[in-house]
Amino acid sequence: MDNRFGDIETFLAVASGGSFAAGAKALRLTPSAVSRSIARLEERLGTILFRRTTRSLALTAEGAAYRDRMSVLLAEIEAVENGLGREKQGPRGLLRVNASPSISVPLLPILPRFMARYPEIILDLALSDAIVDLVEERADIAIRIGPLRDTSLRAKKLGRSRMALVASPDYLARRGTPQVPDDLDAHDCLRFSFRRSVDSWPFCIGGRVVHRPVHGSFFGNSGDMVRQMAIAGGGISRHGHFHVAGDLAAGRLVEVLADYHPGDGEDIHALYAAEDRAAARIRAFLDFLDDELVIAP
């Protein structure tokens, strides 16, 4: 029996960490052991997987293709093991979840219940508004808000929430409360710097939806960043209602121009690879979200 699976695991750890040192740390090996493992793998495959310089380490085209394929194959092996033996003992193992920061508002309070229910699962949660590649990021589940891209991933809908324009009481006391959409010309509108974001907000005016340009001197690349700016009195922002429901209830934010709401909303989905649905830990988390995650409408 050779140690080819150990070499593959080492390769994936180095590819994920971006260096031999990071891979060694993740696997609790010495850098020299990692270096020998990669050299052994490259010799067996007859190709170079990493392009090395004194300052950087990068995957070759062959290395990137090998990483993508091996990540899928190892996930399939893990799914088979879960299905044949480990599932009898209950869900277990490392579960990597990547989620939009804004969903952390309703998600984080319920996670202790998940961890108490499944003590054999180790939960690794990363928050990011960037669209992630589950294979590249080695994530099992991604929770995303808004329209889905064309993808080979499966999507489980977790809920839908209407949009809301909000501002802090302090900001409205200083600048006045807008009564009609045209009043936004005199206000600071907090906007997003996402690629899919636009510089206009929709309103229902005279029975039809009108997209009105908005202006302001602040952009943020995180929904929670823009929310915090609104709470601090920086201006008026537009969020999914689920994201600001607690702030509205606590009086930290106030909804404005509700009479002109266009009726739009955002869908929230959990994305996962089709073959991963068999993994007990992934199935347990998806079922838990279905039962416990409450999205304010």
Side-chain angles (χ1 to χ4, degrees):
M1 174 66 71
D2 60 29
N3 55 357
R4 68 180 58 195
F5 284 107
D7 291 342
I8 294 171
E9 183 181 17
T10 301
F11 163 75
L12 292 175
V14 173
S16 176
S19 70
F20 282 12
K25 183 177 180 181
L27 297 175
R28 297 182 178 179
L29 298 174
T30 64
S32 60
V34 168
S35 180
R36 289 194 300 271
S37 178
I38 297 300
R40 189 166 54 237
L41 181 60
E42 290 179 327
E43 182 179 1
R44 186 169 70 244
L45 296 175
T47 189
I48 300 300
L49 300 174
F50 291 102
R51 185 176 297 107
R52 305 164 175 84
T53 70
T54 56
R55 295 186 178 181
S56 66
L57 183 76
L59 286 166
T60 62
E62 293 79 8
Y66 189 71
R67 174 204 60 196
D68 293 346
R69 186 58 182 153
M70 285 300 103
S71 296
V72 172
L73 289 177
L74 289 182
E76 290 175 353
I77 291 172
E78 186 176 0
V80 171
E81 289 182 346
N82 283 331
L84 290 179
R86 295 181 183 179
E87 192 165 342
K88 294 180 180 179
Q89 306 171 24
R92 61 177 57 211
L94 178 62
L95 177 66
R96 296 183 176 93
V97 178
N98 188 289
S100 298
S102 56
I103 201 66
S104 68
V105 175
L107 177 64
L108 290 179
I110 67 173
L111 288 185
R113 296 202 295 273
F114 175 80
M115 298 171 69
R117 188 178 304 177
Y118 301 105
E120 297 299 315
I121 291 180
I122 299 172
L123 182 61
D124 183 352
L125 175 64
L127 298 179
S128 171
D129 271 318
I131 297 174
V132 299
D133 183 314
L134 293 190
V135 173
E136 184 173 339
E137 296 293 329
R138 300 183 72 185
D140 299 303
I141 297 172
I143 303 176
R144 285 294 174 264
I145 302 166
L148 297 177
R149 300 188 307 168
D150 292 336
T151 176
S152 60
L153 300 175
R154 293 284 182 88
K156 178 182 181 64
K157 187 173 180 178
L158 302 176
R160 180 175 175 81
S161 184
R162 69 180 178 87
M163 303 300 292
L165 287 182
V166 296
S168 71
D170 173 68
Y171 174 86
L172 296 176
R174 288 186 287 109
R175 302 290 294 273
T177 301
Q179 301 300 314
V180 296
D182 284 347
D183 290 345
L184 293 177
D185 286 338
H187 286 271
D188 291 319
C189 296
L190 308 174
R191 294 169 291 166
F192 296 99
S193 56
F194 308 141
R195 281 188 301 174
R196 63 183 175 88
S197 63
V198 294
D199 291 332
S200 64
W201 289 344
F203 298 95
C204 183
I205 301 174
R208 64 189 184 93
V209 176
V210 175
H211 288 262
R212 189 190 187 290
V214 293
H215 309 280
S217 56
F218 180 84
F219 288 89
N221 68 348
S222 159
D224 208 51
M225 179 194 303
V226 174
R227 166 181 163 267
Q228 291 289 348
M229 276 293 292
I231 292 173
I236 299 174
S237 57
R238 190 171 191 265
H239 302 270
H241 186 258
F242 77 93
H243 192 193
V244 294
D247 300 314
L248 293 170
R252 292 185 292 268
L253 293 173
V254 176
E255 188 168 3
V256 299
L257 296 176
D259 291 342
Y260 294 90
H261 194 282
D264 64 334
E266 289 185 319
D267 291 331
I268 296 98
H269 291 90
L271 306 177
Y272 59 96
E275 61 270 19
D276 285 349
R277 188 62 172 84
R281 71 190 190 286
I282 293 176
R283 187 168 63 251
F285 192 71
L286 292 173
D287 291 344
F288 176 81
L289 293 178
D290 200 32
D291 294 337
E292 301 283 347
L293 184 64
V294 177
I295 305 296

